[in-house]
Amino acid sequence: MGELKDLVIAAHGGLDRWNQLSEVRAHLLIGGVAWALKKQDGVIQDTMVLVELRRQFASYYAFGKNGLRTSFTPDRVAIETTAGQVAAERSDPRAAFDGHVLDTPWDMLHLAYFLGYALWNYLTTPFSFAQPGYLAKELEPWRENGQTWRRLKVKFPAHIATHCAEQVFFFDADGLLRRHDYIAEVVGPRSRVEAGH
């Protein structure tokens, strides 16, 4: 059922406008208990991110110490100097999370991979749903705090790095994103997240 997908894309500005853009940049102030749990507290408290819209690419700058940035694609993650010199890199970065549990510490490349795919997905939602390979199905409405939200279950294509293959997005009567449910598989088992917006 494409009706809800079309409504939310229009509510967020529409595909015509989206297709005029090639990248998004954002200034982020990031906190939370997850970073200390993963031994990465303070690395990304105040940073900028660049996300390309025609391919799954993201870069955080500054990353950790001044003079470093990240380079993320689903198949490779790297930490580089601002001049582009590679300080560390990892191919097939998703495999580096095999066997992790909730309190498994991350290295800087784990963090760069997670942040790269997460923000790429957050900043391209819901427009990415119109791309080939995404399957969207409207679920029964959800009632919460006196409001009724429409729900869209989205199955992501295999070539897109994301939290998990199927995620549920909740939209208000105006078609705006109110909540996003997923399992952050790379964090460890039972890492279900309900993110309100």
Side-chain angles (χ1 to χ4, degrees), residues 26-30 44-49 60 119 123:
H27 180 204
L28 305 173
L29 301 172
I30 302 175
I44 46 134
Q45 288 177 325
D46 186 353
T47 188
M48 296 289 295
V49 65
Y60 285 80
L119 257 289
L123 293 175

Side-chain angles (χ1 to χ4, degrees), residues 15 20-21 29 38-39 55 87 107 114 118 141 164 187 191:
L15 277 179
Q20 296 171 7
L21 306 173
L29 301 172
K38 293 299 186 180
K39 309 296 187 234
R55 69 178 180 129
D107 62 26
F114 175 83
C164 58
V187 174
S191 57

Side-chain angles (χ1 to χ4, degrees), residues 14-36:
L15 277 179
D16 288 343
R17 181 169 176 166
W18 180 256
N19 288 332
Q20 296 171 7
L21 306 173
S22 61
E23 64 185 36
V24 172
R25 293 176 189 260
H27 180 204
L28 305 173
L29 301 172
I30 302 175
V33 297
W35 312 124

